[in-house]
C-alpha cells in the first residue's frame, strides 16, 4: 500500500483522467493523500497547450527534487500531454523523475507505479493506441456533478495547436458504454453530467468513416445527446468543446429542444478576423460563427455563450484584432478565456510563421479584451438581479460554510442561505438579490 498524490494541470479532460487514475490506484489498495511530504508517489498530470503551462509543471516537478533527496524511495511521475510531447527529453532534464507516461497509457500507470516502488528503472511509456484502452467508467463517489469522456483525440489540426500530437487521433467510445456509465452515475446520485471531448461535435465521425463511408451508421453527437438525455435521474447535461464546423441544423435543433441540455454553450471562436481564422485552419468565418449563435438565440429566450480567444497569432494586425473585439461585442459573451498565442514546436503555425506580434502588444490586446469582457459580464450578471433562477445545489459554500452554494444553468456560482432539509443534488429556485462579476447571491423561493 502506497500513499499517492496527483497534481493536475490543463483542461477538463486532464481533470477527468486524474479522477479515473485515482480510482484505478485506489482499486489496488493505494491511498490518496494531499500532503507532498507524506506521499510515496507523486504524479503530475501535465498540459502542453501553452509554454506557460509547461513551465509551471516543470517548475513544480523541480521542487520535488528536495523531497526525493529526503526520501529516495519516493516515486515521481510526469503523465499527460507533456509526457507525450517530450518523452525521454523530460527524463534527461529532470533525472529525479521515475515515470513519463502519455495519456493513452493511463491504465498501465498502476503497474508502472508498483514496479517503480519495487525499484524498477525509470520508464518512458508514450505509445499511441488505435483503440481507446481500458474501461473509462470509474468515478469518485458522491458526485452531484460528474464528467464523462466520450471521445479522445482530435483530427482538426488547427495550425497553432499541440493537442492532435499529444492526444492522437479521434476515437469515440461506443454509445452503449457511455449511456451505461451515465446510468451508473445517476443511480449513485449524480444529477449533472458534463460530456467531454477535445472535438466533441465530431463524436462518431471517424468511426463512421472507418465503417465504410456513406451508409455507415455510427451514432453521431446528436444521437449521443439524445441517448444520454433519456437517462432518468440526470437533470442537466453539458458538453465541451464543440466546433462550429459540426454545428448543423440538426445540432441546433437538438440542443435547443432537449430540456435537460443547459442553455449555456461554450463555443471556441479563437478570432474574429477571417484572414486569421484561415491561417489557423479553423474552417469557418466570423459570419459562420455569428450565424450559429443567432440560430440558437432565435430559438431560446435565455441563453449564455462563452468562448476561447487567442490574441497575437502571427501576423495579427490592429485591424484583425479590431474584428475580434467587434465579434465579441456582437455576441455578448457571458464568459471567455483569452490566451496569448504561444508557439508550440511541431505545429504548422510555429514551423511556418515567426511569432511576430510582440509580447507587449499581446499583453495589451489581452487586457483590452478582458476589460471589454468584465464590463459585459458584470452587466449580464447585474441584469439577473430580481430574477428567479433554477439552481442545482452543490453543498456548503467553500468560503462560508453557513451559506450554501449551487450552480445556475449558465454555470454561475450561486450563494444562498439553506432552508429546511436541503441536500446536495436538489434543484431549487433562487431569487437573485446581488451580483458580482463571479457569483450571484440570493434567497431560496419557498
Ligand atoms: N478542443 C478545444 C480546445 C483545446 S485547447 C477546441 O478546439 O475548442 C483550449 C484552448 O487553448 C483553445 O481553444 C485555444 O484558444 C487555446 N490554445 C490552443 N493552442 C494555443 C496556443 N498555441 N497558444 C495560445 N492558446 C492556445
Ligand atoms: Fe486543438 Fe483545434 Fe483540435 Fe481544438 S479543434 S483541440 S484547438 S486542433
Ligand atoms: Fe492541455 Fe492536453 Fe488538455 S495539451 S488542454 S491537457 S488535451
Amino acid at each position: 500500500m502506497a500513499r499517492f498524490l496527483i497534481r493536475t494541470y490543463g483542461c477538463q479532460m486532464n481533470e477527468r483522467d486524474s479522477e479515473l487514475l485515482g480510482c484505478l490506484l485506489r482499486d489496488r489498495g493505494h491511498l490518496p493523500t494531499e500532503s507532498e511530504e507524506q506521499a510515496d508517489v507523486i504524479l503530475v498530470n501535465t498540459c502542453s497547450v501553452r509554454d506557460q503551462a509547461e513551465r509551471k509543471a516543470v517548475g513544480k516537478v523541480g521542487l520535488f527534487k528536495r523531497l526525493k533527496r529526503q526520501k529516495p524511495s519516493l516515486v515521481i511521475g510526469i503523465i499527460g500531454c507533456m509526457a507525450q510531447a517530450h518523452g525521454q527529453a523530460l527524463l534527461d532534464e529532470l533525472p529525479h523523475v521515475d515515470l513519463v507516461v502519455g495519456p493513452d497509457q493511463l491504465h498501465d500507470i498502476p503497474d508502472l507505479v508498483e514496479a517503480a516502488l519495487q525499484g524498477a528503472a525509470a520508464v518512458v511509456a508514450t505509445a499511441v493506441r488505435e483503440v481507446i484502452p481500458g474501461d473509462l467508467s470509474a468515478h469518485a463517489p458522491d458526485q452531484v456533478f460528474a464528467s464523462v469522456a466520450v471521445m479522445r483525440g482530435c483530427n482538426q489540426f488547427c495550425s497553432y495547436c499541440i493537442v492532435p500530437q499529444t492526444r492522437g487521433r479521434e476515437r469515440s467510445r461506443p454509445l452503449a458504454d457511455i449511456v451505461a456509465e451515465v446510468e451508473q452515475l445517476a443511480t449513485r446520485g449524480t444529477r449533472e453530467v458534463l460530456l467531454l471531448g477535445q472535438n466533441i461535435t465530431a463524436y462518431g465521425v471517424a468511426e463512421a468513416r472507418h465503417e465504410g463511408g456513406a451508409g455507415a451508421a455510427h451514432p453521431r453527437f446528436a444521437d449521443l445527446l439524445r441517448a444520454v438525455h433519456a437517462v432518468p435521474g440526470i437533470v442537466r447535461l453539458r458538453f465541451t468543446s464543440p466546433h462550429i464546423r459540426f454545428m448543423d441544423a440538426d445540432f441546433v435543433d437538438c440542443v435547443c429542444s432537449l430540456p435537460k441540455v443547459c442553455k449555456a454553450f461554450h463555443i471556441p471562436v479563437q478570432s474574429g478576423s477571417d484572414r486569421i481564422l484561415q491561417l489557423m485552419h479553423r474552417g469557418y468565418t466570423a459570419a459562420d460563427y455569428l450565424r450559429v449563435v443567432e440560430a440558437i438565440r432565435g430559438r431560446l429566450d435565455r441563453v449564455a455563450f462563452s468562448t476561447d480567444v487567442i490574441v497575437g497569432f502571427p501576423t495579427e494586425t490592429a485591424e484583425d484584432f479590431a474584428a475580434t473585439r467587434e465579434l465579441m461585442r456582437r455576441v455578448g459573451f457571458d464568459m471567455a478565456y483569452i490566451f496569448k498565442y504561444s508557439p508550440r514546436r511541431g505545429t504548422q503555425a510555429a514551423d511556418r510563421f515567426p511569432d511576430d506580434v510582440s509580447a507587449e502588444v499581446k499583453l495589451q490586446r489581452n487586457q483590452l479584451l478582458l476589460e471589454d469582457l468584465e464590463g459585459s459580464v458584470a452587466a449580464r450578471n447585474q441584469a439577473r438581479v430580481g430574477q428567479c433562477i433554477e439552481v442545482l445545489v452543490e453543498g456548503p459554500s467553500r468560503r462560508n460554510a453557513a451559506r450554501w452554494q449551487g450552480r445556475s444553468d449558465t454555470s454561475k456560482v450561486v450563494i444562498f442561505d439553506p432552508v429546511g432539509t436541503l441536500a446536495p443534488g436538489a434543484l431549487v429556485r433562487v431569487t437573485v438579490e446581488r451580483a458580482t462579476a463571479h457569483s450571484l447571491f440570493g434567497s431560496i423561493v419557498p
Side-chain angles (χ1 to χ4, degrees):
M1 188 279 289
R3 281 158 301 187
F4 66 91
L5 170 65
I6 306 175
R7 289 264 178 260
T8 308
Y9 296 91
C11 62
Q12 285 143 312
M13 191 67 91
N14 261 16
E15 296 284 347
R16 171 65 194 129
D17 282 353
S18 290
E19 180 195 358
L20 176 61
L21 178 58
C23 294
L24 298 176
L25 288 167
R26 260 189 303 244
D27 286 349
R28 296 282 189 97
H30 306 301
L31 289 176
T33 174
E34 269 309 304
S35 153
E36 289 171 0
E37 278 70 27
Q38 280 176 17
D40 306 305
V41 178
I42 302 180
L43 300 170
V44 182
N45 196 358
T46 56
C47 174
S48 280
V49 84
R50 281 169 294 278
D51 190 47
Q52 202 189 12
E54 292 202 332
R55 276 207 305 251
K56 256 194 231 160
V58 168
K60 187 82 199 163
V61 174
L63 293 177
F64 296 148
K65 200 182 268 175
R66 182 185 56 83
L67 291 177
K68 183 115 177 177
R69 230 179 278 128
Q70 288 162 3
K71 180 164 47 167
S73 64
L74 175 66
V75 170
I76 298 175
I78 299 180
I79 63 173
C81 289
M82 267 187 89
Q84 193 67 37
H86 301 289
Q88 177 67 38
L90 284 171
L91 273 192
D92 299 342
E93 186 184 344
L94 301 159
H96 60 296
V97 167
D98 303 281
L99 301 172
V100 174
V101 188
D104 275 8
Q105 264 66 32
L106 203 64
H107 288 79
D108 298 335
I109 292 177
D111 282 344
L112 294 171
V113 160
E114 284 167 7
L117 284 166
Q118 301 297 317
V123 172
V124 177
T126 51
V128 172
R129 290 180 167 158
E130 284 225 358
V131 177
I132 297 177
D135 183 8
L136 296 178
S137 65
H139 282 268
D142 301 328
Q143 294 184 309
V144 173
F145 303 88
S147 298
V148 172
V150 304
M151 67 186 294
R152 295 173 83 83
C154 182
N155 290 357
Q156 287 299 311
F157 288 93
C158 300
S159 63
Y160 50 82
C161 184
I162 194 83
V163 171
Q165 287 176 46
T166 62
R167 291 274 172 174
R169 296 291 65 70
E170 287 169 7
R171 288 146 297 165
S172 297
R173 294 172 62 200
L175 188 132
D177 288 7
I178 298 165
V179 170
E181 179 173 340
V182 174
E183 281 170 349
Q184 193 191 25
L185 282 166
T187 59
R188 291 165 44 177
T190 293
R191 306 276 275 159
E192 178 175 315
V193 166
L194 171 66
L195 303 176
L196 291 178
Q198 264 87 29
N199 186 23
I200 198 165
T201 34
Y203 174 79
V205 169
E207 282 69 18
R209 220 171 274 143
H210 279 306
E211 282 163 19
H218 194 285
R220 301 303 171 83
F221 184 64
D223 305 313
L224 172 68
L225 266 187
R226 290 189 191 101
V228 174
H229 193 271
V231 175
I234 299 300
V235 298
R236 278 185 183 172
L237 209 51
R238 298 180 198 278
F239 55 88
T240 202
S241 293
H243 195 294
I244 286 284
R245 283 181 61 187
F246 299 86
M247 298 169 83
D248 54 9
D250 185 36
F251 170 88
V252 171
D253 185 54
C254 177
V255 298
C256 292
S257 60
L258 293 176
K260 294 178 187 175
V261 172
C262 290
K263 302 306 179 255
F265 302 105
H266 182 75
I267 316 177
V269 66
Q270 312 302 358
S271 173
S273 153
D274 289 344
R275 191 182 69 81
I276 297 290
L277 285 170
Q278 199 171 6
L279 292 180
M280 289 176 162
H281 292 173
R282 289 292 291 180
Y284 57 83
T285 62
D288 294 332
Y289 188 92
L290 288 169
R291 251 194 305 279
V292 172
V293 165
E294 275 151 25
I296 295 175
R297 273 223 166 103
R299 292 275 303 266
L300 300 169
D301 295 337
R302 210 150 68 186
V303 53
F305 292 100
S306 55
T307 200
D308 293 347
V309 174
I310 297 176
V311 294
F313 186 83
T315 75
E316 186 186 69
T317 62
E319 206 182 343
D320 294 317
F321 175 67
T324 299
R325 248 181 130 176
E326 173 59 14
L327 180 136
M328 291 187 74
R329 195 192 57 74
R330 283 182 66 179
V331 175
F333 289 105
D334 260 73
M335 208 258 300
Y337 297 106
I338 321 275
F339 304 110
K340 287 174 275 187
Y341 171 71
S342 166
R344 311 314 298 136
R345 210 178 54 202
T347 62
Q348 273 210 34
D351 290 347
R352 286 179 37 198
F353 311 115
D355 182 15
D356 61 358
V357 179
S358 72
E360 292 100 285
V361 170
K362 280 183 190 164
L363 184 66
Q364 198 183 26
R365 290 179 183 169
N366 186 54
Q367 273 168 345
L368 274 171
L369 291 188
L370 284 177
E371 279 162 27
D372 288 357
L373 189 72
E374 209 166 295
S376 87
V377 173
R380 285 177 166 275
N381 284 357
Q382 212 54 47
R384 287 295 184 91
V385 173
Q387 284 180 3
C388 181
I389 59 173
E390 193 183 68
V391 174
L392 184 55
V393 175
E394 217 175 332
S397 154
R398 281 182 207 129
R399 295 237 175 100
N400 172 3
R403 307 200 80 190
W404 277 43
Q405 73 175 41
R407 277 188 243 168
S408 72
D409 129 302
T410 55
S411 252
K412 298 242 149 92
V413 173
V414 183
I415 311 281
F416 50 87
D417 288 320
V419 289
T421 50
L422 199 59
L427 270 180
V428 295
R429 299 191 67 76
V430 171
T431 305
V432 181
E433 289 153 354
R434 191 161 68 78
T436 66
H438 305 288
S439 314
L440 305 174
F441 299 82
S443 306
I444 293 187
V445 180

